[in-house]
Amino acid sequence: MCLCRKQPTMSESPRRAPVRAVVIGGSIAGMLAAAAVKEHVDSVEIIEAHELPEGPAPRTGVPQAVHIHFLQTGGAEAVETLLPGTIDLLLAAGAHRIPVTTNMVIHSAEGWYRRWKRTTHYVITASRDLTDSVVRAQVLKDPRVGVRTHTRAVALLGGRGRVTGVRVRDADGAESDLRADLVIDASGRASRMPQWLARLGITGPAQDHVDSGLAYASRFYRAPVPTAGWPVIGVQADPRLPRPANAGGILPVEGDRWHVSLMGAPGAHPTADPDAFEAYARTLRHPVMADLLRHAEPLTDVSVTHSTANRRHYYERLTPWPEGLVILGDAVAAFNPLYGQGMSAAAQGAVALRDLCSRGTAPGFARRAQRAIGKCVDTAWALAVGTDIHYATTRGRTPTGADRLLHRYVSRLSRTATGSFHAATALTDVLALQAAPASLVKPGVLLTALVGPLRPEPGGPPFTPAEMRLLRDLGEAAAE
Ligand SMILES: Cc1cc2nc3c(=O)[nH]c(=O)nc-3n(C[C@H](O)[C@H](O)[C@H](O)COP(=O)(O)OP(=O)(O)OC[C@H]3O[C@@H](n4cnc5c(N)ncnc54)[C@H](O)[C@@H]3O)c2cc1C
């Protein structure tokens, strides 16, 4: 059956069997998958194991939401392509659009980023609960999209050649079959897809697992300064230091809050002890975060996660691939969250899926879609794994000579970026998931790296005079 809903629509052509998609997982990838295919089917049903709240509230299905989450430019643009107006709705609800590097105080392994006045990229900062709720509301307002909560997918229906639906289990444990022309698995890091495929006789999907062993500890604070226009603060790790890596970030988010995460490799894991949180921030390569947190009021306990490994399933390499099955989001590739890419890569994969749908769904559609999604994953994967392998604690892959050479080059380019707008833009293009890593070895960029920084690196946290005034006022208030 052709998946694509060409005109006429179902109501205009009552004899045609309705074309139906089922999405497993109602988080960001699941919602964006529904947005991607809704124009091309008669109905989309999202199957979600847990509750989906009305507004921005914590939910069981996304435990990682307690940790800092930001959207890269590439991801924000993809979300906007699928669901126009979403970023404005997020901003209206209190999210921040923060220009890169103009509003960033970041201590990279190569020094402080310069805050260039010219802006090329941005990040969207908000609590994950807010981002999810805005995206969810945008998707679910479409009458073609429905959602079945407290329902868990437990198996695929069909065979090696075609997937024809999913077997689901409701909250009472009752199982039933849901027939579908297209099944999209967006069930996240814990996806059972390899086991489900094995039951259909499809075995051996290649996978990679590269684990830096990083742990995250996070909490919300009441911001002691206005959050509008306040920069992102970050202290990054330096793999060259002879000590376990650690890092941290403060994101201004909705509700005049700072969302703060601290991260450490084995030997330097942060804990859930609230009394140790700010002391841990002081162990980073620079005390800027600890100094700021002294003035901020904690609003929550500290939450910890160790679920940070890079893990990728190369479904796109399996031949033959069954018709009617596509896998998206963390279920395909989950990244070390340090680089802030998962939601953005999922959104870009969903755009690729939408583009393919609009070109028709001749036989081989699912395999083409899986390949396109695999391509969307490549940049984020190369960045995350290409960096993680240089930390002594990383398990799963060690750097080759070529990896080391590339790393030395990227370090030099990063150093150059502290004092060269051209280098900073070339790097940010890739980090924002708007260019492939290969763009970093274009002749113009190579030359820039060769020349090195044109201006000296800022000697300390590059706060603006207005920010310094706010910080001085805080210091004086604390001293009173
Ligand atoms: C600490 C941390 C920080 C992060 N920071 C960032 C960041 O700054 N920027 C960024 O872009 N990404 C970040 N990420 C990554 C981001 O959280 C994920 O990439 C993103 O949530 C993936 O979305 P998803 O929809 O694929 O999976 P998930 O968000 O994990 O959702 C999976 C959904 O599927 C449901 N489900 C699972 N199994 C079933 C089943 N059998 N049947 C029905 N439903 C099921 C779950 O209940 C859940 O709702 C971070 C991750 C972590 C761990």
Side-chain angles (χ1 to χ4, degrees):
M1 176 188 291
C2 173
L3 168 72
C4 214
R5 187 183 64 173
K6 301 263 188 225
Q7 292 89 35
T9 63
M10 182 171 54
S11 54
E12 291 158 337
S13 169
R15 277 165 302 163
R16 183 174 66 76
V19 176
R20 174 189 170 118
V22 164
V23 176
I24 306 169
S27 184
I28 191 143
M31 290 295 158
L32 295 176
V37 301
K38 68 183 165 58
E39 304 290 338
H40 307 281
V41 297
D42 295 283
S43 68
V44 186
E45 187 161 28
I46 299 169
I47 306 301
E48 168 53 47
H50 301 282
E51 184 63 55
L52 290 176
E54 275 294 313
R59 67 181 201 88
T60 318
V62 188
Q64 70 268 36
V66 290
H67 304 283
I68 57 171
H69 271 74
F70 60 92
L71 269 174
Q72 305 280 1
T73 318
E77 288 185 352
V79 169
E80 206 48 31
T81 303
L82 292 161
L83 299 166
T86 301
I87 299 301
D88 278 349
L89 287 170
L90 262 171
L91 298 178
H96 297 269
R97 184 184 193 278
I98 300 188
V100 175
T101 56
T102 313
N103 249 7
M104 297 191 129
V105 173
I106 305 282
H107 191 37
S108 77
E110 306 300 329
W112 292 97
Y113 283 166
R114 182 168 292 279
R115 292 175 67 174
W116 298 100
K117 289 210 172 68
R118 279 177 288 171
T119 289
T120 49
H121 303 78
Y122 59 91
V123 291
I124 303 293
T125 67
S127 72
R128 175 68 194 265
D129 294 334
L130 179 64
T131 303
D132 280 4
S133 78
V134 170
V135 168
R136 193 160 62 230
Q138 286 278 80
V139 173
L140 296 184
K141 73 183 180 196
D142 191 306
R144 288 167 292 197
V145 183
V147 63
R148 211 187 271 211
T149 55
H150 300 289
T151 305
R152 185 174 283 280
V154 292
L156 296 174
L157 305 176
R160 286 168 61 92
R162 175 177 288 279
V163 165
T164 56
V166 282
R167 185 149 187 82
V168 296
R169 186 180 297 141
D170 69 18
D172 301 323
E175 290 194 6
S176 55
D177 290 348
L178 267 183
R179 299 279 159 194
D181 304 284
L182 176 65
V183 172
I184 304 173
D185 178 23
S187 61
R189 260 181 198 267
S191 163
R192 306 274 300 156
M193 187 51 66
Q195 292 85 341
W196 294 346
L197 284 173
R199 272 187 249 150
L200 299 187
I202 302 168
T203 52
Q207 61 166 292
D208 261 346
H209 191 262
V210 179
D211 188 0
S212 69
L214 205 70
Y216 261 62
S218 307
R219 76 194 309 192
F220 284 94
Y221 283 79
R222 187 175 311 290
V225 289
T227 48
W230 187 258
V232 165
I233 313 289
V235 178
Q236 299 177 346
D238 182 352
R240 294 164 301 195
L241 293 181
R243 61 175 223 196
N246 62 2
I250 303 180
L251 300 187
V253 297
E254 76 280 4
D256 300 319
R257 294 176 300 165
W258 281 350
H259 200 175
V260 184
S261 287
L262 299 170
M263 311 93 175
H269 278 166
T271 68
D273 177 1
D275 295 332
F277 194 77
E278 286 157 40
Y280 186 92
R282 205 158 284 288
T283 68
L284 305 185
R285 289 174 46 243
H286 192 278
V288 60
M289 285 182 59
D291 291 346
L292 290 170
L293 293 181
R294 270 194 312 137
H295 304 290
E297 176 198 345
L299 296 173
T300 59
D301 284 340
V302 177
S303 302
V304 169
T305 184
H306 294 257
S307 185
T308 61
N310 301 288
R311 205 221 44 237
R312 179 171 183 180
H313 297 283
Y314 293 91
Y315 292 119
E316 68 274 19
R317 292 186 190 164
L318 276 182
T319 35
W321 181 251
E323 298 289 346
L325 177 66
V326 170
I327 305 161
L328 185 71
D330 276 18
V332 173
F335 315 96
N336 181 344
L338 199 58
Y339 313 104
Q341 301 163 322
M343 298 190 297
S344 293
Q348 292 183 327
V351 170
L353 177 62
R354 188 197 71 155
D355 291 349
L356 265 180
C357 276
S358 59
R359 273 187 254 139
T361 53
F365 166 79
R367 183 166 160 70
R368 286 193 299 280
Q370 210 54 56
R371 279 187 176 162
I373 289 166
K375 280 207 184 91
C376 290
V377 164
D378 283 344
T379 294
W381 183 258
L383 284 174
V385 172
T387 309
D388 279 359
I389 53 175
H390 298 283
Y391 289 98
T393 51
T394 297
R395 300 281 168 268
R397 231 190 87 185
T398 45
T400 60
D403 290 328
R404 287 205 183 86
L405 194 66
L406 185 66
H407 188 62
R408 276 211 296 279
Y409 169 66
V410 174
S411 296
R412 185 178 172 89
L413 189 61
S414 305
R415 175 110 193 100
T416 306
T418 63
S420 152
F421 181 74
H422 185 210
T425 307
L427 265 181
T428 314
D429 272 342
V430 178
L431 297 173
L433 302 183
Q434 292 190 296
S439 65
L440 297 181
V441 291
K442 282 186 183 158
V445 184
L446 281 168
L447 189 64
T448 305
L450 196 68
V451 172
L454 301 174
R455 298 168 69 172
E457 181 224 326
F463 287 110
T464 63
E467 289 158 3
M468 288 301 288
R469 268 196 300 282
L470 283 169
L471 293 176
R472 257 197 311 274
D473 292 349
L474 282 181
E476 281 160 20
E480 278 165 13

